[in-house]
Structures are given as C-alpha cells and as structure tokens.
Amino acid sequence: MSFLAPFFLLLAGAAAVPLLLHLLRRNVSARIDFPAARYLQRAEREHSRSLRLRNLLLMLLRVLLLIALALAAARPFVRGFGSGHGATAVAVVLDNSLSTTAVSGGQPVFEQLRAGARAVLLAATPADRLWLVTADGRLQAGTREMLLAELARVAPVEGAGDLPLAFARASAAVTAASLPSHVVAVATDGQRSAWNTERRSPDAVTVLAPSAGPPPNRAVASVEAQPSRWTPRGSMIARVASSDSTGYRVVIGERTAARGVAARDEAISLRLAPPERGWQAGRIELEPDDFPADDARHFAVWIGAPPSVSAETSAGSFIATAVATLGADGRVARGVGITIGSADAVAALPALLLPPADPVRLGAANRALARLGVPWRYGALDTSSTMAHGDRLEGVSISRRFRLVRQGSTSADTLAVAGGEPWIVAGPGYVLLGSQVDPVATNLPLRASFLPWLADALGQRLGAPAGDVGAPISATPSEMIAVPAGVDGLESEAGARRSISGDRITAPAERGVWFLLRAGRRVGAIVVEAPEAESDLARIPADRLAARLAVAGARGVTTPNALARSTFALGSSHPASTPLLLLAFLLLAAEAVAVRASRSTAA
Amino acid sequence: MESSAVRADLQDPAALASLGHLEVVARWVVDGFLSGLHRSPRKGFSVEFADFRPYQPGDDLRYVDWKIAARSDRWVVKQYEEETNLRATLILDVSRSMDWRGAPAAERLTKRAYAEQLTAALALLLLRQRDAVGLVRFDDDVRTSVPPRARTTQWRRILGALAERSGGRASDVGAALAQAARLVTRRGMIILLSDLLVDVDAALPALRGLRAAGHDVTVLHVMDPAERSFTLAGEAQFADPETELAVPASGADVRAAYDRTVSTVIDEWRTALGAMGARYELVLTDQAYAVPLRRAFDARQRRP
C-alpha cells in the first residue's frame, strides 16, 4: 500500500480518542444530578455483560471509523486490488548486448526479449508512465506508441553494454515518478557475467529470462599478434574456448594465412611471415555455432621488412655480436637505417645511443644529444651497484652508469630504472642507455633476455616508420578511448574513412580493426572487440536474478506474456479512497444501528 | 360543551404554572376537569335537595328540572346536598429527589411542583365532593400533618401546608405512611404522591399495613420523563442528590439498559402493589393533570 498524501495518516491518531474515552470513562469529572442514579447503577449491574460488549463494539466501530477516514484522506493505493491495473511507472530494461544474439529455439534470444518488452508496452494504459532503457545506455521516456516505435528500432549491439547501469537508470526513473506503483521490467538473457551488480532496486522488479540453458558455444577468447610489429615474422597467439575440437582459420588482410584444428580449450600459437606490408587487419575464425558473434576475433599488426642496423665500434663487442646474431636470424639487416653506438659518435637518428667509454667524451656526447634533439643528457657517473627494473630487464645488475637527466618537458618512455632513476629511456627515433653494454658496467649482455630485448628495441622502437603510434589500441564497442596526437581519421577494413578530432573519441560500435590515419597514412590501429566475458553464456535463472535485483516484490518469468502480466500485477495499485469511504460509511451505519438497536430494545 | 383547548386540566403543566399561583391553577384544573365529566359527580350519593343551577353540557339529563324548562324555557339542574362519607389523606413526598427536573424550567416542572399542583387539585376535587381531605408531607421525617376535614377552609389549610419548606434529604416513606394511618382512624382513602426513590423494604410493609387496615391505597408514581427514558447525553458521574450515589456512565451507552431497568422497576411496583390490592399509576411530569386526576377520581368513584 502506498499513499499520495501520507501526512493525513496522522489523523489516524484520532482513533486513540474513543479508545482513551473507553479506558478512562471511569475517571470522568463531570457530575450531573440525577435522582434515579440507583436505576442507572442497577442497569449497569444487571446488563454489565451486554453493556461491556456493546461498549467494546461501539469503541471498535468508532476506532475503525476514524482509521478508515484517516486512510481515505491519505489517498492510499493498494496493490492487487480491483480489476485491471492502476497507474504504474514502468521502466523496461531491454538487454541488447552481444550475448542476446545467441540462437535459442530457432531464433535469437534478443527477439524473445524484444517480444517481452513489446508485451509490457502493449499492456500499458495511457495512465501509465513508460521508459525504455537498453543495455547500450539509451533511455527514452514516452507514450506507449513512441516506445513501441523505438523498440522496433533497437538492435543488438556488438559489445556487452552496461546492464547494471541501465538497470540503475531505470530504477531511478521509476522511483522519481509520482505514480503510486513503480516497476522495473527487465528482459535479459540472464548472462551471469553481465549481471555482476549488487545494487538493488527499492521498487518491484520483474525479470524475463529464457528458461532454456545457453547453447554450446565455441569462442575465440583472445587473440594478439606478438610482437605488434612483424619484421616480417611474428606470432599470432590465440586462445580458443570450446568444449570440443574445432577448426580454425587465420586471415590476414583478405588472405587466409593459416588453417588448423584446435583441441578443447587449446592455445593456438602460429609463427607467420606474411607477405603483406604496413598495418594489416587479421582475424581468427572458428566453425560457426549458435552464438556466431564470438566465432571470430580480430587483431592488428604492422608488417614490414627487418630494420637495417649498423653497429659502431663504440657500441662494443657484445652489441656487434648480438646484431650479427639477429642478422643471421633475419630479424635485422645490415644497413644504415638504425645506428648503434656511443652518443658522441652518432650523427643521425634513429639510433640506439650508449654513453661514451671514456668519461672525457661525456661533454661531446651531451652536445651530440642536443644536436640530435634527444631531450636527455648524461649526468654524473654512479658506480654504486644497483638492480634494474623494466620489461625483460628485471634482475639486471648495474655497477656503472651515468645518470640520465631530462631536458625540458618532452614526453619520453622510461624502459628501465635503476636506483629509482631512469636507466634506459626511449623517444621518437632513439633509445638511450645509461650504461655501456659491457660486463664492466652491467651484466645485461650476459643475460638471456638481452637478445630479445635488443630485437624489440630495434624492431619495435626504432624500426617503425616515422610517425607510427606503436602497438594497436584495444577497445570495446563504443568505448571512450584516447587516441595519439595528430591522428585525424579512421579507416575501416573495407576502406571506409571518417574524420575524427580531439584526444578522446568513442570507439566504433562495430567490432573489427580500424586503422588510425594521420594525413591519410595508416599510423596505428584500433581493435574493437567485445569483452572476453561476453562469450561466457552461463545464465542466472529469472527467479534468482529478480531476487538479486529487488529488495521486495521480485518475480521471474520465462515468457513474454508472463512478463507483461507479472509487471502490472506487481504494480497494480488502485486508489482505495472510495472503498475506504464506503467502509467508513458502513461503519458509521453499523454504529448508528448498534446505538439505535439498543434504544429500540429499551422501548 | 367546553372545548378541550381551554380546559386547564388538559394543558401543559409547565405552561399552566406560569399563568398563576398554585391555588388559581388548582381551581382551573378542577373546574376544567369537572366540566369535562359527562356525569354529575354527585350521582349515587345519598342526597337532599339544595339548589338549582344552570344546565351545563355534561350534566346528566335526569337531573334537569323539566317543569321549570316547560314553564320558563330555561334549563336548570337540581343540586343536592351530600353527606360526607370519605376520609382521604394525600401523602406527598417532598424529599430532595423530588426537586429535580430533566428539562429547563420553562419547559417542565420539578416533580415536587407537579406533585404539589396535583395535590392541590385533588384536595379541591375531593372537598367539592364533601369528602374530608388531609395532607401528610414527608422527606426523611414527617414535615406536615394536616388531619382530614371536610370544611370549606380545609383547602386553604392544605394550600398553606404545601407552601411550607422542607429541609430533609431522603424519603422516609414508612414513617409518613404510619403517620397517615394514625390520622385516618376510619377506613379511608390514601393517595401517595412520590417518585418512589425510597427504601422499598420499608415502603411495601407500610403500604401493606394500610391495606390491612382497610384503606384504599393509590400510589401515584411521579417521574420526570428524563427518568423514564434516559435522555441525558455525555459522559459524566450521575449522582443521586439524596444518597450521593454517583454512577459513571455514558448516556448513549447505558440508555437502552437503563430504560429496560426502569421498565422492570415499574413492573415490580405495579406487581407488588397490585398483589396487596393497591392501585399504582405512573405519572409523568409532562402529562396534563387530567390524566392523574382521572385515575384518582376513578378510585374515588369506586368507593361506596
């Protein structure tokens, strides 16, 4: 029961008046001369039982009368009272996340959910207030016809959406409504990973969720290119979630790069050296099943020739040997592209810069850094023994290093630190080390990670074309993401381009690879994919989900019509003022009859 | 025939009381009452011719002197001197409970005022019939005792006695009846006017004693209509001014039970008095005097 004017409930306190009068009547102070008091006394004595019953009856009638009047004045609305349904604020939450595209019973789950939402809207009356909230964040209020039209336009999105947020917005909308009944009707596939909220609605909640379990699903849980730049060789690492073996196909550009069969939950790792060059879109596809949305997953990779590297003698013997090894493996080529040497001996970028072996050359090295535009300088020599921290560099010991001093505020990446200070830094066209690659200064050249680190530094950091933004950006559909400075457009795999501006953009709503453009040239990529959790179709039964979402008045159903019925049954509050006034009138009549009956008996 | 609209015995007692003193009103009442009788009150008495008087509607045609009517075309009736053969004693309760009315003074007399008016009228009526009439007034003691006489001055004495004050609270009806028995040594008529808010255990033996002595006993139970049917409203302590008995009650709540109880009390009185051969009449203070006068007159007429 709810009230439009609850303040009037205070009037119910008047019910205490007849109660008090009944209890305190023996203490009345008014005195009236009445010579026949002995008859009165005898009457009370002889009719005490009937008088007591009658007084009790009258008191109850009067108390009930006052309570009924107070309740009627408070304009109550009572649930489950009367026929049809009373004015109700209903927010329909429609789950249009990617998981609802799973096929169940010959049609996508989304169509069942949309039918449930439609049934609720069709059952609404002009007195109701309606909202339609979708998992992708759209909220629209309007008349039944407006929302039916909007419902027809809703389609599943490529991502997971945010169902807890949609539910919270729907709950807030109905709670703020001034109508007596509030209901949030949720049509969802009940995906467990999507309903991870602990927030509950204070209003009634009805949930439509499929009664059948989720279909068997084979999914590409994840895929990535390692490294993100192939020169031209690289690896594609994918993880397949499947209850049985399944065939797969790897596509790069428009060409099938590989095929195979993956065992149950197998991690696929393929080394590829595709002939394509530049930024390429790739994907791995599985055999189709009832949830085709996750049967393919995309990746982006830059493919190019191995970088040309020349090692100066000032770089030392360990560098020379490493470059020779990488060259023998085809990871680098000998040439004039990337220079490795002492900073005072390098004339141009890109270069991997080392401190000079002779500290006397430190000033020349710093002047060379300034000339090359590198915003770092060599500082004082530190011969204390420290440990390095950084990717592939954990545990490397350092016994001799020059402190690296930043010049200006130019951004730069710190690849490793030692003693809390930068030890290896990188920026456009350069990688700068604080120590010589020599066991006298550091044990880096003696470590197994040295060669992969050097390969990455040359291939990923220094081998990329000028202006490239580095590794692809991962995003979910319609997610807000930061884009590198200077990027002015996006290009789809099919070649469609559109302009963008600003540092932050909304990622495309469609899954796939989108290339970042700078002055019409591909400089990076955005890989838009649904979260891995969206492939987990495990469901929460409708009843349990409803109980999780509502403090009270929760009901779970499995058919669209049942959703409409239960929604307006839970929220079917009717004005009860008139019946209460009728009840008050009946009580008044009963009180009059009780009084008059006793008089006529006496007569 | 005189219209009933101007007969004083049919008027509202309170309205009548506002028109004149006790004596005047009593005369009007008795005159009106007698004029309404269709038979001469003297019928059946041992008579001796006394005088003629003009015919009045209601006079028995047997007493019309047809000879005079034939000679002079005037209708006259013969009046007869009667013998006094009845000694009547009126016993009036003047206790504090009688000084009560259940409505404003303009609308209703107190039980005592009503009973005094009725006593005066009764006394006049009986005296006009040549009966000897006496009066006993009592509360918690006998306040006045006027022996029965048939003299013309007796009514004045009775009126004077009615004007006396009384100071008692309760009603000692036993003592009053004993006094009446002493006053009326021959068999006679006793009329008790009381609200009967008395000690029943004392009253009934005394009345029974009067009956045993051969007296004709009539009890006029004077009640205010508000005592007969409980009309007082509100929640209060209802207190008896005589006994100080206070009963807390809500008027609306106890009304029905009270009315039933009063009916029972009336029945008890009627039954008890009937069993001993006494007459009982309930007299409400808003009734016209003709009603109780008729009751008492009928009782008188049944006497030999």
Side-chain angles (χ1 to χ4, degrees):
Chain A
M1 178 182 285
S2 55
F3 300 93
L4 285 187
F7 183 75
F8 284 97
L9 287 176
L10 295 176
L11 290 177
V17 173
L19 193 64
L20 288 174
L21 286 178
H22 179 80
L23 296 174
L24 302 177
R25 56 172 300 206
R26 300 294 157 183
N27 296 326
V28 291
S29 56
R31 180 185 172 95
I32 296 176
D33 274 352
F34 188 66
R38 65 182 67 184
Y39 300 154
L40 207 52
Q41 187 184 40
R42 179 173 164 180
E44 289 209 335
R45 191 171 59 244
E46 292 179 350
H47 302 89
S48 60
R49 183 183 173 86
S50 62
L51 274 175
R52 205 177 303 123
L53 283 174
R54 182 175 161 281
N55 286 339
L56 200 60
L57 176 66
L58 285 174
M59 181 201 69
L60 284 175
L61 288 173
R62 289 162 185 167
V63 167
L64 288 175
L65 172 65
L66 288 169
I67 290 175
L69 287 174
L71 286 173
R75 300 182 64 193
F77 281 76
V78 180
R79 185 167 288 166
F81 177 80
S83 59
H85 70 267
T88 307
V90 179
V92 180
V93 177
L94 177 61
D95 182 358
N96 63 337
S97 63
L98 185 64
S99 61
T100 62
T101 60
V103 175
S104 178
Q107 65 174 343
V109 172
F110 176 75
E111 292 304 325
Q112 301 174 37
L113 304 181
R114 175 150 54 189
R118 185 183 297 112
V120 172
L121 294 176
L122 287 174
T125 66
D128 299 326
R129 286 199 64 189
L130 302 171
W131 292 265
L132 178 64
V133 190
T134 53
D136 56 334
R138 285 186 294 179
L139 183 149
Q140 183 167 351
T143 63
R144 182 176 73 169
E145 286 67 30
M146 289 171 59
L147 295 190
L148 282 170
E150 176 65 19
L151 180 65
R153 288 191 288 269
V154 175
V157 294
E158 298 269 292
D162 192 340
L163 278 169
L165 177 62
F167 178 74
R169 296 177 70 189
S171 177
V174 297
T175 302
S178 59
L179 294 181
S181 298
H182 303 151
V183 182
V184 179
V186 180
T188 178
D189 60 0
Q191 190 181 22
R192 178 178 292 137
S193 59
W195 288 105
N196 54 4
T197 179
E198 294 300 322
R199 182 170 177 174
R200 291 183 168 201
S201 170
D203 299 308
V205 174
T206 54
V207 173
L208 165 67
S211 57
N217 186 32
R218 290 187 292 265
V220 181
S222 64
V223 61
E224 64 174 335
Q226 287 187 349
S228 59
R229 293 178 184 277
W230 293 357
T231 54
R233 287 189 304 176
S235 298
M236 187 223 64
I237 311 294
R239 189 162 53 82
V240 174
S242 173
S243 58
D244 56 1
S245 61
T246 179
Y248 68 84
R249 182 170 77 116
V250 177
V251 178
I252 294 178
E254 297 301 322
R255 185 179 59 83
T256 299
R259 289 180 184 274
V261 174
R264 175 180 178 178
D265 294 335
E266 181 185 359
I268 302 170
S269 178
L270 296 175
R271 285 188 62 79
L272 301 169
E276 290 82 1
R277 291 293 181 265
W279 282 100
Q280 298 293 326
R283 66 181 183 274
I284 178 170
E285 300 172 348
L286 303 180
E287 294 170 2
D289 59 11
D290 284 342
F291 183 37
D294 63 357
D295 291 343
R297 196 169 277 270
H298 300 80
F299 64 94
V301 63
W302 182 87
I303 306 170
S308 299
V309 177
S310 64
E312 301 288 334
T313 54
S314 59
S317 59
F318 286 92
I319 289 288
T321 304
V323 169
T325 304
L326 292 173
D329 191 42
R331 307 281 295 273
V332 298
R334 290 194 175 275
V336 294
I338 302 169
T339 305
I340 305 175
S342 172
D344 59 320
V346 173
L349 298 180
L352 193 154
L353 303 166
L354 305 172
D358 185 356
V360 173
R361 299 291 302 165
L362 203 60
N366 283 335
R367 285 193 294 276
L369 290 174
R371 187 177 65 251
L372 293 170
V374 175
W376 295 89
R377 301 289 183 268
Y378 288 114
L381 178 64
D382 186 348
T383 56
S384 61
S385 184
T386 57
M387 301 295 285
H389 299 285
D391 186 27
R392 297 179 188 266
L393 299 175
E394 289 295 330
V396 172
S397 65
I398 304 164
S399 54
R400 179 185 173 87
R401 66 182 173 91
F402 290 96
R403 289 197 168 92
L404 298 180
V405 181
R406 180 191 286 267
Q407 300 294 305
S409 58
T410 307
S411 62
D413 295 336
T414 298
L415 304 184
V417 295
E421 298 173 338
W423 182 50
I424 304 177
V425 297
Y430 69 90
V431 173
L432 179 66
L433 276 75
S435 301
Q436 284 188 298
V437 183
D438 189 292
V440 176
T442 173
N443 69 351
L444 173 63
L446 307 179
R447 307 268 302 199
S449 60
F450 173 57
L451 215 53
W453 176 84
L454 183 61
D456 279 354
L458 296 174
Q460 308 301 318
R461 284 276 171 187
L462 301 173
D468 261 21
V469 297
I473 300 169
S474 294
T476 56
S478 303
E479 181 187 2
M480 287 297 294
I481 55 173
V483 292
V487 172
D488 55 11
L490 291 180
E491 179 184 4
S492 70
E493 290 180 60
R497 295 188 173 192
R498 63 183 171 96
S499 298
I500 60 172
S501 61
D503 295 337
R504 294 181 66 80
I505 64 167
T506 302
E510 299 81 20
R511 292 176 297 139
V513 175
W514 300 79
F515 300 107
L516 298 171
L517 302 178
R518 180 182 289 156
R521 189 174 71 86
R522 293 180 181 179
V523 296
I526 301 172
V527 178
V528 179
E529 275 296 350
E532 180 183 344
E534 198 64 6
S535 296
D536 180 4
L537 299 181
R539 291 172 178 168
I540 305 173
D543 282 336
R544 281 176 48 198
L545 180 56
R548 277 176 53 176
L549 295 178
V551 177
R555 189 174 296 176
V557 297
T558 57
T559 64
N561 289 334
L563 179 66
R565 282 195 303 273
S566 59
T567 294
F568 289 106
L570 279 175
S572 62
S573 293
H574 294 261
S577 292
T578 303
L580 280 170
L581 286 174
L582 281 174
L583 175 63
F585 177 77
L586 290 175
L587 289 169
L588 194 62
E591 195 261 0
V593 167
V595 171
R596 187 160 297 180
S598 52
R599 284 181 186 166
S600 61
T601 304
Chain B
M1 181 181 289
E2 192 170 294
S3 166
S4 62
V6 296
R7 280 179 52 185
D9 60 320
L10 298 179
Q11 300 306 306
D12 175 61
L16 271 180
S18 66
L19 297 177
H21 295 298
L22 179 64
E23 176 185 349
V24 178
V25 173
R27 285 185 188 280
W28 289 346
V29 169
V30 172
D31 289 345
F33 178 75
L34 290 176
S35 69
L37 292 178
H38 293 283
R39 288 186 158 203
S40 169
R42 293 173 174 79
K43 179 183 176 298
F45 285 42
S46 60
V47 294
E48 181 180 340
F49 174 76
D51 197 0
F52 291 103
R53 68 166 174 80
Y55 170 80
Q56 289 183 344
D59 285 344
D60 195 329
L61 293 178
R62 287 178 297 175
Y63 299 102
V64 174
D65 191 323
W66 297 108
K67 292 179 182 175
I68 294 176
R71 283 200 302 268
S72 62
D73 197 21
R74 285 190 305 125
W75 286 31
V76 294
V77 293
K78 289 178 278 192
Q79 287 190 304
Y80 298 88
E81 196 79 40
E82 68 183 10
E83 289 183 357
T84 298
N85 60 354
L86 177 69
R87 299 173 72 82
T89 303
L90 303 172
I91 304 174
L92 177 62
D93 182 355
V94 292
S95 64
R96 185 171 295 182
S97 66
M98 292 288 284
D99 282 330
W100 190 82
R101 64 170 71 90
E107 299 174 14
R108 196 171 299 165
L109 298 176
T110 63
K111 290 184 284 184
R112 178 174 168 177
Y114 185 92
E116 287 175 346
Q117 191 69 67
L118 186 57
T119 300
L122 275 172
L124 182 59
L125 182 62
L126 292 170
L127 286 170
R128 283 189 178 179
Q129 296 189 149
R130 302 293 189 267
D131 292 334
V133 180
L135 174 67
V136 173
R137 294 169 69 247
F138 71 96
D139 43 36
D140 52 2
D141 199 359
V142 175
R143 296 293 170 188
T144 307
S145 179
V146 179
R149 296 285 185 274
R151 297 172 188 164
T152 53
T153 57
Q154 180 68 359
W155 192 53
R156 293 285 176 193
R157 281 190 68 187
I158 289 174
L159 291 179
L162 288 175
E164 292 177 9
R165 299 181 63 183
S166 61
R169 296 174 63 90
S171 306
D172 187 356
V173 70
L177 293 173
Q179 178 65 17
R182 284 192 292 273
L183 292 174
V184 188
T185 52
R186 287 167 46 194
R187 287 183 180 181
M189 183 174 178
I190 306 289
I191 300 177
L192 172 63
L193 297 96
S194 170
D195 57 8
L196 296 183
L197 296 173
V198 298
D199 181 3
V200 179
D201 293 337
L204 285 177
L207 289 167
R208 199 173 289 118
L210 289 173
R211 281 294 300 144
H215 294 295
D216 188 86
V217 176
T218 297
V219 176
L220 298 181
H221 187 175
V222 182
M223 288 188 92
D224 190 282
E227 290 177 322
R228 176 63 186 88
S229 291
F230 197 85
T231 55
L232 300 179
E235 188 90 14
Q237 298 269 358
F238 294 92
D240 182 354
E242 289 186 5
T243 63
E244 293 298 326
L245 169 67
V247 181
S250 166
D253 292 347
V254 300
R255 185 166 297 140
Y258 174 87
D259 291 355
R260 284 197 296 274
T261 298
V262 171
S263 296
T264 303
V265 167
I266 290 171
D267 287 343
E268 288 173 356
W269 276 110
R270 195 188 305 279
T271 302
L273 292 171
M276 67 178 68
R279 273 178 294 279
Y280 169 87
E281 297 297 340
L282 176 65
V283 180
L284 299 178
T285 57
D286 61 347
Q287 285 179 334
Y289 292 115
V291 179
L293 280 177
R294 166 63 72 181
R295 303 275 189 257
F297 184 74
D298 288 349
R300 166 66 185 86
Q301 294 298 79
R302 278 190 286 274
R303 293 285 300 178

